[in-house]
Amino acid sequence: MTAVGARRGGVRPEIAARRPRRVELGLIVLIAIIVMAAYGLASLGTSASVPGNLGPFLAWMLGLFFFVHVAVRRLAPAADPVLLPMALLLNGIGYVMIARLGGDVAGGSDLAGLQSVWTAVGIGGFVSTLLLVPRVRSLAQYQYLLGLGGIGLLALPLLPVGVEINGARIWVSIGPVNFQPGEFAKIALALFFAAYLVDAGELIKNRLELRDLVPIAAAWGASVGVMVLERDLGSSMLVFAMFVVLMWVATARTMFLGLGAALFAAGGFVAFRLFAHVERRIDSWLDPWADPRDSGFQIIQATFSMAEGGLAGTGLGRGDPDRVPFAETDFIFAAIGEELGLAGTTAILMAFLILIGSGLRIALRATRPFEKLLAVGLTTLLGIQAFIIMAGVVRLIPLTGITLPFVSYGGSALVSNYVVLALLMRMSHEQRTTGDAEAPR
Amino acid sequence: MRGLGVSLGPVSDQLLIVLRVCLLALVYLVFFRVLRAVWVELRDEGASAGAAMTPTMAARRVSRPAPVPAPAAVGGGGPAPVDPASSSPAAARLVVVAPPSLAGHAFALDGETTIGRGAGCGVAINDAHVSKLHARVYPHEGTWFVEDLGSTNGTSVDGAPISAPTPIGAGGRISIGEIVMELA
């Protein structure tokens, strides 16, 4: 078939399937240049020298980029071309900020070294997900296993293996390995909700009965449980928001958005009254200046930090973003705001918008309800998580400590977000190879 | 970048500013290329969607003012697969009358048409009470007939459940699950 025939016909032969990868390669090359330049600039800014380990850094980064690109060419050649580059851009900028926050960029702080290892593990997770999941819809048959597994992972830190760090009991420590099982629970729960709502959503759409509200009540109960027992506000909000959005998408009833908001408000109010840590968060959101040295300190520092950045930032390595506590994880957005200014934070926002847009486009093009719901669920996870923490840092909503996907330091989060990305890429590839567009309805 | 690891001495602030602006410009160049790639893809998709429209898809397409692609059933000339032209009845549309949220949607009948939840059906209804392949409507000797294809919840014509192929006249109503369609 000729190229013209390929464009006309419903079936997309290989010529058309190659194009996404060419676009992707172009973007990845540009992003490699950006990350390298940012790394060099950060070093020039802090110590006025080109980092001595620029060569090894470059080799490591180019090796990873090349590996993941070739893997996608092999495993999902027709997948969306912009998902992976956006993730790599966020990951790269985040890495440079983490290296820079460690002090001397070239000195290779502990966190930066770990983050580069985690990036490699994340990309390994991305490739193995593509390799192990040839068809996303085959995951639907494990729905109850995934649901139980997700809840189990969420509850795991409550067992003796869990450890409490910075007031939240969300870590599990087994031998030398520390990780946050909640990050992987999100994916398992997204798969479970999507599979469950394929059938349940249809029934609820037609006849709403009281017992149909049991699942939403259970999800609410679980997220309240997580909040109370592990004091992890972020994950609790995230899982609940994802469930409400999926209920809404599956049933086409706007009522569920209202119900979700009402339940959330009720839960939030009770938590505000009962738990000191929630009350502290809300108080320091409403008026951080009431207690500027303690509970309001972080958010005030972040505000000053971003104000200092202005429009184009102080320049990488030229600001003092390390004055904000947890600048590598929760507050990395403030660090970017200080050194790259509004232009830099807008870039981060745009990268997330493009990721979310591509994810929702996959959902729109999906023909099977399970894939549609799953794409919505996974995209919601990424989008809401990014929103919760960015809005928290700029004091639009009360702060909840979760990581900025792909950008913040954090192994579990990075790996799980790459797995989410791989599932989206896999669905996108399936859609474009079978050529099944959305059936008109 | 020459002299790896060698201190360059005091780097002028102006140079750093220029480099920073270049970096940000590069980042925005990436976004520009992303948006252009998405735009090109959408444009091509739009072009191929128009060309790849098959007759079955046209029959399945739902729209408010019904498209009625070529009056296939009027007297003759339509490519009716079951019975050649002469015996095709005059009515050629199924119009949804209930539930209100779907009312007004119309499906053009182009010879034998299947109704069901499956995506391959001529009239695809996304409803839990509709079987994957629920029923079919076909022309026979100048009349439209409705036949239930072993569905779980059954099919009714003008309110009465059917067990055998049942003739349906203009204005007749087919009920499947919550959905009522009128032959027009």
Side-chain angles (χ1 to χ4, degrees):
Chain A
M1 208 186 262
T2 62
V4 177
R7 207 164 292 164
R8 288 275 161 84
V11 196
R12 285 149 190 279
E14 286 175 26
I15 298 168
R18 290 271 164 73
R19 204 180 57 191
R21 299 283 75 78
R22 271 212 313 276
V23 173
E24 186 183 85
L25 182 62
L27 291 172
I28 288 181
V29 167
L30 258 180
I31 286 162
I33 295 171
I34 289 171
V35 176
M36 186 199 68
Y39 192 71
L41 267 181
S43 179
L44 279 177
T46 44
S47 59
S49 64
V50 174
N53 64 351
L54 189 65
F57 169 76
L58 202 59
W60 178 250
M61 180 184 69
L62 288 180
L64 278 180
F65 281 18
F66 180 73
F67 169 70
V68 70
H69 177 69
V70 169
V72 172
R73 265 182 194 258
R74 283 287 165 101
L75 298 170
D80 188 287
V82 303
L83 282 172
L84 181 63
M86 286 303 104
L88 293 177
L89 177 67
L90 290 170
N91 196 178
I93 292 180
Y95 176 79
V96 170
M97 286 316 293
I98 292 161
R100 177 258 169 279
L101 286 164
D104 183 20
V105 176
S109 63
D110 293 348
L111 282 188
L114 279 171
Q115 180 77 347
S116 65
V117 171
W118 282 122
T119 304
V121 174
I123 284 179
F126 175 85
V127 173
S128 15
T129 308
L130 283 180
L131 202 65
L132 295 175
V133 184
R135 265 186 305 279
V136 171
R137 62 177 175 275
S138 58
L139 292 175
Q141 58 187 304
Y142 305 117
Q143 58 167 308
Y144 290 106
L145 201 65
L146 285 163
L148 284 176
I151 292 171
L153 282 172
L154 264 187
L156 199 57
L158 297 174
L159 299 179
V161 289
V163 279
E164 188 169 320
I165 298 177
N166 299 324
R169 196 180 171 93
I170 52 176
W171 288 85
V172 163
S173 180
I174 300 171
V177 186
N178 287 314
F179 70 106
Q180 287 177 299
E183 295 288 344
F184 299 96
K186 292 185 314 198
I187 303 176
L189 288 177
L191 284 160
F192 167 68
F193 288 160
Y196 169 76
L197 286 174
V198 166
D199 298 323
E202 282 297 323
L203 291 174
I204 296 170
K205 182 164 37 176
N206 292 320
R207 297 193 188 81
L208 183 67
E209 292 167 19
L210 203 58
R211 69 185 159 87
D212 295 327
L213 297 177
V214 169
I216 193 172
W220 181 72
S223 67
V224 169
V226 167
M227 186 171 72
V228 172
L229 297 171
E230 299 179 3
R231 269 172 271 156
D232 182 9
L233 283 173
S235 301
S236 148
M237 260 164 86
L238 190 59
V239 169
F240 185 65
M242 176 180 70
F243 186 74
V244 170
V245 168
L246 282 183
M247 279 295 267
W248 174 51
V249 173
T251 60
R253 277 171 182 258
T254 322
M255 184 199 94
F256 282 107
L257 287 184
L259 189 66
L263 278 174
F264 179 77
F269 183 73
V270 171
F272 173 69
R273 280 302 174 85
L274 288 183
F275 303 108
H277 65 282
V278 179
E279 194 185 345
R280 253 169 69 109
R281 289 282 172 84
I282 301 218
D283 285 346
S284 65
W285 168 58
L286 290 173
D287 184 13
W289 294 100
D291 188 8
R293 289 176 184 281
D294 187 20
S295 66
F297 180 72
Q298 194 178 26
I299 196 86
I300 290 173
Q301 290 295 317
T303 309
F304 275 123
S305 187
M306 286 182 288
E308 180 69 21
L311 208 58
T314 58
L316 284 166
R318 309 284 281 173
D320 291 304
D322 19 21
R323 294 187 184 204
V324 187
F326 297 104
E328 295 92 354
T329 53
D330 298 353
F331 274 74
I332 199 155
F333 192 67
I336 293 170
E338 175 166 357
E339 302 215 317
L340 291 172
L342 181 67
T345 45
T346 309
I348 299 289
L349 216 55
M350 273 192 80
F352 276 115
L353 284 177
I354 290 170
L355 270 180
I356 294 164
S358 303
L360 291 181
R361 206 150 68 91
I362 293 171
L364 279 177
R365 290 174 56 138
T367 32
R368 296 179 189 81
F370 172 67
E371 288 171 10
K372 207 176 258 297
L373 288 174
L374 183 62
V376 171
L378 296 177
T379 310
T380 309
L381 277 181
L382 273 180
I384 294 203
Q385 182 163 356
F387 171 78
I388 288 177
I389 185 60
M390 288 192 289
V393 169
V394 302
R395 214 156 73 81
L396 182 69
I397 60 170
L399 182 71
T400 45
I402 53 176
T403 57
L404 187 57
F406 294 112
V407 185
S408 293
Y409 170 75
S412 317
L414 200 54
V415 176
S416 77
N417 286 325
Y418 269 114
V419 170
V420 166
L421 197 72
L423 291 174
L424 287 173
M425 294 275 283
R426 173 52 77 208
M427 282 189 275
S428 169
H429 170 73
E430 283 180 65
Q431 288 167 5
R432 291 166 185 238
T433 43
T434 48
D436 47 17
E438 164 74 322
R441 196 190 113 79
Chain B
M1 300 223 181
R2 64 223 143 74
L4 294 179
V6 180
S7 172
L8 298 180
V11 187
S12 77
D13 281 350
Q14 281 88 347
L15 178 66
L16 279 181
I17 290 172
V18 170
L19 288 176
R20 186 206 323 154
V21 171
C22 290
L23 178 75
L24 286 169
L26 264 182
V27 172
Y28 281 90
L29 178 67
V30 168
F31 294 139
F32 172 72
R33 294 193 50 171
V34 163
L35 293 179
R36 210 188 51 170
V38 171
W39 158 243
V40 166
E41 197 181 303
L42 284 177
R43 192 190 55 195
D44 286 2
E45 253 170 42
S48 68
M53 183 78 76
T54 59
T56 31
M57 283 175 79
R60 270 161 55 187
R61 162 159 289 198
V62 187
S63 65
R64 212 149 267 271
V68 195
V74 184
V82 170
D83 232 328
S86 62
S87 65
S88 277
R93 287 204 300 153
L94 276 180
V95 183
V96 178
V97 291
S101 59
L102 292 174
H105 286 297
F107 299 87
L109 291 179
D110 186 13
E112 179 177 338
T113 305
T114 50
I115 305 174
R117 188 155 48 85
C121 290
V123 176
I125 301 171
N126 198 1
D127 184 307
H129 300 279
V130 176
S131 298
K132 286 216 174 73
L133 183 58
H134 196 106
R136 67 175 179 136
V137 181
Y138 62 96
H140 182 67
E141 292 177 353
T143 315
W144 289 101
F145 280 81
V146 184
E147 182 183 10
D148 190 277
L149 299 173
S151 68
T152 314
N153 295 315
T155 306
S156 300
V157 171
D158 293 329
I162 60 170
S163 52
T166 307
I168 179 171
R173 293 193 166 193
I174 305 174
S175 313
I176 286 171
E178 306 268 287
I179 300 196
V180 181
M181 286 176 291
E182 191 176 273
L183 193 68

